[in-house]
Amino acid sequence: MAGAAPVLTHNCGNAAADAQADLASMRNQLNMDQVGTSTPKKEGTLARLDYQGQTFYGMNAPGVQHSNPGGVMNMHLLHAEGDALAQAHRAGLRGGVATLHTDRAPCPFCRNNFAGMSRALNLNALMVYGPNGLAGMYSRQAGRYIRLR
């Protein structure tokens, strides 16, 4: 705490860089274009959710059917971020803190759905990292997603 106000600190060390390298490796395995080498529709987005000791990978997934946990738009579940979060929900995980890494900055649509998906998972906090570092976070206390970048 600094003074009387609580201060959130998050020191991820090299975890964010390691996650970005992991997503780049996954792109190679999936034979996807690397970010920045083609149009966004061709390269897509990959996401990695680290939550309760498990890792869930998501990708833009038209045609994938996730049951809606409530509080989010169905279209969010077709984006990489929503795909990874929906997998954790389907696995029955709830509560605690989760970290989501994306290899492209989260789009406005996803940012608008992070709070609903976090509430569906009963998260205390969701830290969201893009390729340029911490992009934003959801906290139960704030009750919303706060964009930092």
Side-chain angles (χ1 to χ4, degrees):
M1 264 210 225
V7 176
L8 171 71
T9 59
H10 186 74
N11 182 2
C12 65
N14 289 326
D18 291 346
Q20 290 299 317
D22 182 38
L23 291 171
S25 175
M26 177 165 271
R27 277 188 173 281
N28 284 333
Q29 292 173 25
L30 295 171
N31 201 28
M32 294 174 71
D33 291 335
Q34 290 299 315
V35 173
T37 60
S38 66
T39 61
K41 286 189 177 214
K42 186 175 180 192
E43 68 186 19
T45 300
L46 292 179
R48 176 180 129 175
L49 178 68
D50 297 323
Y51 182 35
Q52 294 186 2
Q54 296 186 48
T55 299
F56 300 90
Y57 292 94
M59 61 189 302
N60 291 8
V64 171
Q65 297 295 316
H66 291 292
S67 60
N68 192 320
V72 298
M73 298 181 74
N74 285 333
M75 183 65 102
H76 175 64
L77 304 175
L78 301 178
H79 287 216
E81 299 90 332
D83 181 29
L85 290 161
Q87 289 176 51
H89 188 272
R90 187 175 58 239
L93 301 181
R94 302 291 184 277
V97 175
T99 304
L100 180 68
H101 300 272
T102 62
D103 62 359
R104 296 191 323 140
C107 72
F109 188 79
C110 286
R111 290 191 308 260
N112 287 333
N113 281 274
F114 284 146
M117 200 69 204
S118 295
R119 283 189 287 273
L121 288 164
N122 197 31
L123 293 176
N124 293 324
L126 172 67
M127 310 300 291
V128 180
Y129 289 85
N132 297 317
L134 185 61
M137 64 169 287
Y138 163 85
S139 78
R140 182 182 300 172
Q141 184 176 13
R144 65 186 182 96
Y145 178 77
I146 300 166
R147 181 179 178 194
L148 302 174
R149 291 181 190 254

